[in-house]
C-alpha cells in the first residue's frame, strides 16, 4: 500500500539541538498532520495543517505545509529528553476520508 | 473527556478463535478508522467508516470485518484469527468536514498463538 516518504528514518541528537524532518508525496494533499508516538501508546496529534504555505507552531514545534502541497516539514527547537519518540506525518487527499501515513522518524535525544 | 477509548488493551488468542475489538469516541466525530501497526512500521488502514451507516475497505482488510454500531462506536472483528494478525490495533476518529483532525486511542495489543 501507499505510504509517504518520511526522512530521516532515525536521528540521534544532543539535548539542546534543533531537529528537522520531512515528508514527501507524489500526490497532492489537502491536509497534513504530524503525530508523536511513545512506546506503548497511541499517536498523539501535534500539529494540523490545512493550507499550502501554512506555518503553524505548537510550543517548540513548528510545521509547514509545503507550497507544492506534496510535502511537509516539522522542526523541533532546543530538543529535550522528553522529545524522544517516533514522529509520524499523515496526509489526506482531497475528496476522501482516508489518511496516508509516513513510515516514521525515530528520535533519540542524548542528555 | 476521554476522546477515543479502545477495549480490551491486551488480548491473547489461539489460532482460529474469533474476537471483537471495541472502539468508542465522545468527540461527536463522523468518521472512524481501524489501523494496525506492526513492529518498525507505520500505520496501515484496515477499514474506515466515513459516516454512520457506511463502511469501506482500507489497505489491508482481508480477515477482518467491521460494524459501525452508531455514531460513537466502531468495532473490528476477527472471525478466525491467524498468527499474521498479531499486531497493535488502533482506532481513530475525525471529522474532515469540520476540520477536526484524526485522534487515536491507546491501542489493543493482540497476540495470536
Amino acid at each position: 500500500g501507499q505510504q509517504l516518504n518520511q526522512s530521516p528514518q532515525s536521528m540521534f541528537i544532543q539535548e539542546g539541538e534543533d531537529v528537522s524532518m520531512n515528508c514527501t508525496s507524489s500526490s497532492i494533499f489537502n491536509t497534513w498532520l504530524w503525530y508523536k508516538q511513545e512506546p506503548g501508546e497511541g499517536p498523539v496529534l501535534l500539529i494540523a495543517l490545512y493550507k499550502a504555505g501554512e506555518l503553524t507552531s505548537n510550543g517548540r514545534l513548528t510545521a509547514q505545509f509545503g507550497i507544492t502541497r506534496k510535502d511537509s516539514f516539522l522542526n523541533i527547537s532546543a530538543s529535550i529528553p522528553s522529545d524522544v519518540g517516533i514522529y509520524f506525518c499523515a496526509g489526506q487527499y482531497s475528496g476522501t476520508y482516508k489518511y496516508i501515513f509516513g513510515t516514521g522518524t525515530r528520535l533519540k535525544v542524548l542528555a | 473527556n476521554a476522546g477515543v477509548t479502545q477495549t480490551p488493551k491486551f488480548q491473547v488468542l489461539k489460532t482460529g478463535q474469533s474476537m471483537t475489538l471495541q472502539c468508542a469516541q465522545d468527540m461527536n466525530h463522523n468518521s472512524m478508522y481501524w489501523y494496525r501497526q506492526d513492529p518498525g512500521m507505520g500505520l496501515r488502514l484496515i477499514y474506515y467508516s466515513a459516516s454512520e451507516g457506511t463502511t469501506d475497505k482500507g489497505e489491508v482488510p482481508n480477515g477482518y470485518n467491521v460494524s459501525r454500531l452508531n455514531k460513537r462506536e466502531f468495532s473490528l472483528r476477527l472471525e478466525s484469527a491467524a498468527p499474521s494478525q498479531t499486531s497493535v490495533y488502533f482506532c481513530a476518529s475525525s471529522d474532515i468536514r469540520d476540520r477536526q483532525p484524526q485522534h487515536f486511542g491507546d491501542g489493543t495489543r493482540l497476540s495470536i498463538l
Side-chain angles (χ1 to χ4, degrees):
Chain A
Q2 182 176 2
Q3 287 193 310
L4 301 177
N5 295 317
Q6 187 170 349
S7 65
Q9 286 188 330
S10 62
M11 301 180 73
F12 290 79
I13 62 169
Q14 294 287 338
E15 184 177 358
E17 289 184 351
D18 296 343
V19 174
S20 293
M21 60 189 78
N22 68 84
C23 274
T24 60
S25 169
S26 58
S27 303
I28 291 174
F29 287 131
N30 266 11
T31 300
W32 282 97
L33 306 175
W34 283 93
Y35 292 88
K36 179 187 178 186
Q37 186 177 27
E38 298 186 35
E41 299 183 5
V44 174
L45 182 69
L46 299 173
I47 293 177
L49 302 161
Y50 298 103
K51 187 177 177 181
E54 180 180 356
L55 189 70
T56 298
S57 293
N58 178 4
R60 294 178 296 104
L61 277 63
T62 301
Q64 185 163 22
F65 193 138
I67 292 176
T68 65
R69 297 172 64 190
K70 293 183 178 180
D71 55 11
S72 181
F73 308 88
L74 176 70
N75 295 312
I76 305 173
S77 62
S79 59
I80 59 178
S82 62
D83 290 334
V84 166
I86 303 175
Y87 291 79
F88 290 101
C89 62
Q92 181 240 330
Y93 296 108
S94 172
T96 79
Y97 291 88
K98 294 190 290 186
Y99 296 84
I100 306 298
F101 279 79
T103 50
T105 294
R106 188 179 299 270
L107 179 64
K108 295 195 175 182
V109 180
L110 306 174
Chain B
N1 190 3
V4 179
T5 302
Q6 291 183 235
T7 56
K9 295 190 184 304
F10 302 93
Q11 185 70 48
V12 179
L13 294 177
K14 294 181 179 179
T15 298
Q17 287 185 316
S18 61
M19 172 162 190
T20 300
L21 280 59
Q22 307 287 352
C23 175
Q25 53 95 7
D26 63 3
M27 295 174 284
N28 201 36
H29 286 168
N30 280 305
S31 303
M32 297 186 73
Y33 308 78
W34 277 105
Y35 294 86
R36 61 178 288 175
Q37 185 177 37
D38 298 303
M41 296 185 67
L43 292 140
R44 293 186 292 170
L45 182 64
I46 305 171
Y47 271 94
Y48 69 103
S49 170
S51 60
E52 186 178 357
T54 70
T55 60
D56 287 284
K57 294 179 180 179
E59 183 185 350
V60 288
N62 291 345
Y64 305 96
N65 287 302
V66 290
S67 295
R68 184 73 183 269
L69 304 171
N70 47 55
K71 190 172 185 179
R72 291 186 63 249
E73 299 172 289
F74 189 38
S75 63
L76 177 72
R77 183 162 178 84
L78 286 70
E79 290 290 353
S80 179
S84 61
Q85 294 178 305
T86 293
S87 189
V88 182
Y89 291 85
F90 289 102
C91 177
S93 71
S94 72
D95 204 316
I96 291 173
R97 287 170 293 183
D98 285 345
R99 282 194 169 183
Q100 294 297 315
Q102 199 172 61
H103 291 268
F104 284 82
D106 286 336
T108 294
R109 282 143 190 85
L110 183 61
S111 293
I112 299 161
L113 307 177

